[in-house]
Amino acid sequence: QHSICARAILENTLVCLPTGLGKTLIAAVVMYNFYRWFPRGKILFVAPTRPLVAQQVEACRSRVGIPAQDIVELTGQTSPDERARLY
């Protein structure tokens, strides 16, 4: 996980690992580093299901400490006006 995080922080990276080997943690660590480096920037994490998005949101909050007020979860049910407001 450490070597993947170190590489992903510096360059575009596609991480393919079996279930349970730390993809969520790797993504959270990389997002946290960008959050620290660019506190006014935006990070977009896309997942195919709501449970995976919720898992990543929880990892960002609890595992790496991105404040809850700086995380927004958007789904297909979020109205365009609400998306614009949150963005």
Side-chain angles (χ1 to χ4, degrees):
Q1 292 170 346
H2 181 268
S3 63
I4 294 171
C5 285
R7 186 169 187 157
I9 286 170
L10 299 175
E11 59 189 74
N12 293 332
T13 306
L14 176 63
V15 178
C16 300
L17 294 171
T19 300
L21 291 184
K23 294 181 297 292
T24 299
L25 177 63
I26 291 166
V29 168
V30 171
M31 287 188 280
Y32 179 66
N33 277 279
F34 278 92
Y35 172 80
R36 285 184 23 221
W37 295 339
F38 308 101
R40 298 185 56 116
K42 305 279 188 210
I43 300 168
L44 177 64
F45 179 86
V46 179
T49 65
R50 284 188 215 145
L52 288 175
V53 172
Q55 178 185 26
Q56 194 63 52
V57 166
E58 180 58 25
C60 287
R61 288 180 184 154
S62 65
R63 291 186 186 175
V64 297
I66 296 175
Q69 69 267 15
D70 291 340
I71 298 174
V72 175
E73 185 175 340
L74 302 174
T75 70
Q77 296 177 343
T78 307
S79 72
D81 289 340
E82 181 69 0
R83 289 175 193 223
R85 185 187 72 75
L86 293 169
Y87 191 77

